[in-house]
Amino acid sequence: MKRQGKLNPEKMGLTMPVDAPGFVDKPAFWRGVNSYTFNYETDPEAAAELVPEPLTLPEPAKACLIFNNFEWSTGGPYFELLQGINVEFEGEPCVYFPHLAVSEAVPLTAGREIYGFPKKVGHIEFVRQDDVLAMYFERPKGLRIATGVFRQLRPAEPPPEGTLMKAVNLRVITSPEPGKKHSLCELILAELAMVNTEVWTGEGNCSYSGLSELDPWHKLPVVKHLDCSLLKCDSTLNSARILKRW
């Protein structure tokens, strides 16, 4: 006697294992966000090498390094680091992220599998002395990849409630078939809405060590430091769309 399987996509969870998903369903929520952003000019040719073809790169080429401390989220509390490039899609300004790092596994799988955020787990640390806050990303621990140094100075005008951060990511699914590279490549625009915002300007800078070819964040070099700031907010990621599918 043979019995037919009963599992189908309608009964499956959001991720594998399908009867015990590794993270909660959409949307994702964050509360008590402390986001330290370092904006800088970078090498336009180096940036173009990292940006997918449908996107355009305004000049001068601008990039950012963002250290996040999430006190609470639907994936638990964690630290995060994002490397972004200012781009446009059909004239619409957005930020493309070639590299991300997180301190925990659940936000890694949720962000990467759903929205294509290119995350790896690494060691992220915040260290304060007097009025200066230092931020580090190491992978593995002890091998410094990126550093930020920030002194908080004065409050600034916050953005309007509900302001969207438009993030573009490249989601890639590897093919299991011999001789075939990808099963799927998608360029995804995810919109992060921010409320209860508070902004502080500061002084400081970011830098890359250039010590690791396995995590080559330094290939988007700091040519000229522009500014740095602290954003405190609550946020929700509840909107996304596919811009291009290969």
Side-chain angles (χ1 to χ4, degrees):
M1 178 180 176
K2 298 181 180 179
R3 191 181 297 270
Q4 184 70 39
K6 296 182 179 180
L7 184 64
N8 58 54
E10 292 184 0
K11 299 178 182 179
M12 295 178 188
L14 198 63
T15 183
M16 299 176 291
V18 294
D19 63 339
F23 48 83
V24 299
D25 203 347
K26 307 178 290 290
F29 298 93
W30 294 264
R31 297 293 181 264
V33 177
N34 286 272
S35 183
Y36 300 87
T37 298
F38 300 86
N39 293 306
Y40 64 92
E41 290 186 11
T42 191
D43 181 288
E45 187 58 32
E49 290 291 333
L50 297 172
V51 171
E53 290 179 356
L55 304 176
T56 56
L57 186 68
E59 291 194 31
K62 295 181 180 180
C64 60
L65 200 61
I66 305 172
F67 284 85
N68 288 326
N69 180 349
F70 298 119
E71 295 179 1
W72 183 93
S73 79
T74 44
Y78 65 101
F79 298 145
E80 179 181 67
L81 176 61
L82 307 92
Q83 184 185 62
I85 304 172
N86 289 10
V87 296
E88 293 181 358
F89 177 75
E90 296 180 348
E92 180 180 7
C94 42
V95 182
Y96 175 72
F97 293 107
H99 291 107
L100 273 84
V102 291
S103 59
E104 308 296 334
V106 170
L108 178 144
T109 54
R112 191 165 64 184
E113 292 186 16
I114 301 175
Y115 303 104
F117 286 97
K119 299 182 179 184
K120 290 183 177 180
V121 170
H123 177 75
I124 301 172
E125 185 176 5
F126 293 81
V127 178
R128 181 175 294 279
Q129 181 170 332
D130 300 323
D131 61 343
V132 176
L133 182 64
M135 297 149 255
Y136 308 114
F137 166 50
E138 299 175 339
R139 191 173 186 273
K141 185 177 181 180
L143 181 63
R144 187 68 50 84
I145 304 298
T147 300
V149 181
F150 182 79
R151 176 186 283 124
Q152 188 171 330
L153 293 179
R154 57 187 61 87
E157 187 69 24
E161 286 287 283
T163 293
L164 297 178
M165 177 183 180
K166 299 185 178 183
V168 179
N169 304 302
L170 185 60
R171 182 168 70 161
V172 174
I173 306 298
T174 306
S175 173
E177 299 176 288
K180 187 176 180 181
K181 196 171 183 179
H182 301 124
S183 289
L184 179 68
C185 296
E186 291 178 332
L187 196 66
I188 298 174
L189 173 66
E191 296 181 329
L192 190 74
M194 299 176 291
V195 297
N196 302 323
T197 53
E198 179 183 343
V199 176
W200 288 78
T201 61
E203 57 184 0
N205 69 289
C206 66
S207 60
Y208 302 106
S209 70
L211 296 177
S212 177
E213 287 297 321
L214 303 181
D215 291 288
W217 294 55
H218 61 278
K219 292 187 176 180
L220 192 65
V222 179
V223 173
K224 179 184 178 182
H225 173 72
L226 296 176
D227 57 67
C228 52
S229 61
L230 164 61
L231 169 68
K232 297 184 177 185
C233 70
D234 299 328
S235 59
T236 306
L237 205 170
N238 57 8
S239 177
R241 58 190 170 99
I242 298 170
L243 302 179
K244 181 177 176 63
R245 180 178 286 127
W246 286 267

